[in-house]
Amino acid sequence: MTNKPSSRAPYHTTPSLSSSALGAAVAVAQNMVHNAVKDKVIKQLPEPLQLVAKEMKFLTGNLRNLLGSGHPSLDRIAKYYTKSEGKHMRPLIVLLMSRATFACPKSSNSDNITTAAHGRDRGGMMAREREKELGVDQPMSMPSILNDVNPNLLNVGQSPTGSPLTSFAPFPGEGKEDREILPSQRRLAEITELIHTASLLHDDVIDHASARRGSPSANSEFGNKMAVLAGDFLLGRASVALARLRNAEVIELLATVIANLVEGEFMQLKNTAMGEENPGWNKEVLPYYLQKTYLKTASLISKSCRASALLGGADQGTVDAAYLYGKNLGLAFQLVDDMLDWTRSEKELGKPAGADLELGLATAPLLFAWESNSDLGTLVGRRFSEPGDISTAQTIVRQSDGIERTRQLAEDYANQAVMAISDFPDTEAKSALISMAEKTIKRKK
Ligand code: FPP
Ligand code: MG
């Protein structure tokens, strides 16, 4: 990251983020980050994955347990995207946030602390003891209700599929990090991956994707109907796991994320900010794009960071800071994603490059280029559907500063993410979160 603030005012999704006071604060944060780089502090930042390596090692196995179904085809399709190693960025952030907020002040409001999934309350370890008692796998309804398929069947009370609805491999070890991350926070990390994977199953159908993570996409392997149903199944299992955290606020947050993902996808499909045949660039174009980006990508990261702090019993300031970190990091992440679609090859990405234009989507690099070249309006209006539209758009964007401005905006958001957690006590986990912001900007795929 650099200390040079973006020469243009950043585009923000909320009025509170666009004040000049914030602009000044961002400049201060950017300076802090720059100085850290200069002082080689950043070079010593821990590798984020190493700090939660044990949790991450069990992630895929636990996800597969949560997705078990006795219906062989469903079992196979639901677990399909857990086979290929994804980045697991969302669980990684939740786990790091859990560790980073362990060291933060705790809420004195015991209403915040719920039954099974609460964090460390005033009594500290009391919460952990209660969580141990109830556990994150404990159903609330009778097994005969949860597993019922047909009242006339004799084996009422057993899973119709012969496999438990959810089963969670016990977490071995009693290391320092185990004390810092609650079972409910580990489960939350898994839930974020389930929701994300569900959205990818649906997204690949909508985008007619042929590949994901270097392998055939689920829709191309099993067909659209199966892929959509598998995504729904993942959401169902995520909801069960979420309910068993027994924290209404956390359920509200993650359920809102699911709605937000759909809203974001709708905004992307509709593009009403530029819906006419030959739209002109207008000041609504970028805010619309950023709102879509928040809903589609940053909502899951921001609200799960918030949920992680809530589960840990953190005080209000910490909960808000965790949320802001996730929001800004999520926006930076998607901006970089949209930039890489322009700058990387299919081989480097593990999925087709230039896919956005092919899908008729105008993302940040093009929107910035359009601001200074009105010729793009016609192409945007017809979603690059005429022969030659895509190559014309590519030429105009590559000759513009659109890609650089996208990178710069992503960097602004990453800096704001770092600034959001500046009051957290200095721990390895906090440094790893800063490192995540750095890596988000530097990533190549
Ligand atoms: C990837 O976008 C897709 C998302 C981040 C969210 C998609 C959301 C939906 C399809 C709504 C349904 C949601 C649920 C929870 C079932 P991308 O196409 O830009 O990225 P890609 O290149 O990885 O495909
Ligand atoms: Mg897609």
Side-chain angles (χ1 to χ4, degrees), residues 200 203-204 207 209 212 268 296 351 359:
L200 294 184
D203 179 70
D204 284 346
D207 291 352
R212 162 109 18 224
Q268 180 163 298
K296 185 181 131 174
K351 60 185 180 185
L359 290 166

Short mmCIF file of all heavy atoms in Angstrom, two decimals, residues 200 203-204 207 209 212 268 296 351 359, ligand 2:
data_model
loop_
_atom_site.label_atom_id
_atom_site.label_comp_id
_atom_site.label_asym_id
_atom_site.label_seq_id
_atom_site.Cartn_x
_atom_site.Cartn_y
_atom_site.Cartn_z
N LEU A 200 -22.12 -19.42 -4.98
CA LEU A 200 -21.34 -19.75 -6.18
C LEU A 200 -22.07 -20.78 -7.05
O LEU A 200 -22.05 -20.70 -8.28
CB LEU A 200 -19.95 -20.30 -5.80
CG LEU A 200 -19.00 -19.32 -5.12
CD1 LEU A 200 -17.64 -19.98 -4.89
CD2 LEU A 200 -18.83 -18.04 -5.92
N ASP A 203 -24.60 -18.76 -8.73
CA ASP A 203 -23.96 -17.78 -9.62
C ASP A 203 -23.47 -18.44 -10.91
O ASP A 203 -23.60 -17.88 -12.00
CB ASP A 203 -22.78 -17.13 -8.89
CG ASP A 203 -22.05 -16.12 -9.75
OD1 ASP A 203 -22.64 -15.06 -10.02
OD2 ASP A 203 -20.92 -16.41 -10.18
N ASP A 204 -22.91 -19.64 -10.78
CA ASP A 204 -22.39 -20.32 -11.97
C ASP A 204 -23.50 -20.70 -12.94
O ASP A 204 -23.28 -20.76 -14.16
CB ASP A 204 -21.56 -21.54 -11.56
CG ASP A 204 -20.19 -21.12 -11.03
OD1 ASP A 204 -19.79 -19.96 -11.24
OD2 ASP A 204 -19.51 -21.96 -10.39
N ASP A 207 -24.41 -17.31 -14.58
CA ASP A 207 -23.34 -16.85 -15.48
C ASP A 207 -23.01 -17.88 -16.58
O ASP A 207 -22.08 -17.64 -17.35
CB ASP A 207 -22.05 -16.57 -14.68
CG ASP A 207 -22.18 -15.35 -13.79
OD1 ASP A 207 -23.20 -14.65 -13.91
OD2 ASP A 207 -21.27 -15.10 -12.98
N ALA A 209 -21.39 -20.49 -16.26
CA ALA A 209 -19.95 -20.74 -16.09
C ALA A 209 -19.61 -22.18 -16.45
O ALA A 209 -20.37 -23.11 -16.12
CB ALA A 209 -19.53 -20.45 -14.67
N ARG A 212 -14.80 -23.59 -12.57
CA ARG A 212 -14.59 -22.90 -11.30
C ARG A 212 -13.37 -23.53 -10.65
O ARG A 212 -13.25 -24.74 -10.59
CB ARG A 212 -15.85 -23.03 -10.44
CG ARG A 212 -15.71 -22.78 -9.00
CD ARG A 212 -16.30 -21.53 -8.37
NE ARG A 212 -17.31 -20.73 -8.98
CZ ARG A 212 -17.24 -19.38 -8.98
NH1 ARG A 212 -16.21 -18.77 -8.45
NH2 ARG A 212 -18.21 -18.67 -9.51
N GLN A 268 -27.06 -6.41 -10.19
CA GLN A 268 -26.11 -6.65 -11.27
C GLN A 268 -26.84 -7.01 -12.57
O GLN A 268 -26.46 -6.56 -13.64
CB GLN A 268 -25.18 -7.80 -10.86
CG GLN A 268 -24.14 -8.14 -11.89
CD GLN A 268 -23.01 -8.95 -11.29
OE1 GLN A 268 -22.30 -8.51 -10.41
NE2 GLN A 268 -22.85 -10.16 -11.77
N LYS A 296 -23.29 -7.82 -2.90
CA LYS A 296 -22.86 -9.08 -3.51
C LYS A 296 -21.64 -9.68 -2.79
O LYS A 296 -21.52 -10.89 -2.69
CB LYS A 296 -22.52 -8.81 -4.98
CG LYS A 296 -22.18 -10.02 -5.79
CD LYS A 296 -21.83 -9.62 -7.23
CE LYS A 296 -20.53 -10.30 -7.61
NZ LYS A 296 -20.16 -10.13 -9.00
N LYS A 351 -10.33 -19.54 -14.15
CA LYS A 351 -11.67 -19.38 -14.72
C LYS A 351 -11.51 -18.41 -15.90
O LYS A 351 -10.49 -17.70 -15.97
CB LYS A 351 -12.65 -18.83 -13.68
CG LYS A 351 -12.27 -17.49 -13.10
CD LYS A 351 -13.21 -17.04 -12.00
CE LYS A 351 -12.78 -15.69 -11.47
NZ LYS A 351 -13.54 -15.21 -10.34
N LEU A 359 -20.45 -11.31 -20.21
CA LEU A 359 -21.78 -11.40 -19.56
C LEU A 359 -22.55 -10.09 -19.67
O LEU A 359 -23.65 -9.96 -19.13
CB LEU A 359 -21.61 -11.75 -18.07
CG LEU A 359 -21.14 -13.18 -17.77
CD1 LEU A 359 -20.68 -13.30 -16.32
CD2 LEU A 359 -22.25 -14.18 -18.07
MG MG B 2 -19.79 -15.71 -11.78
#
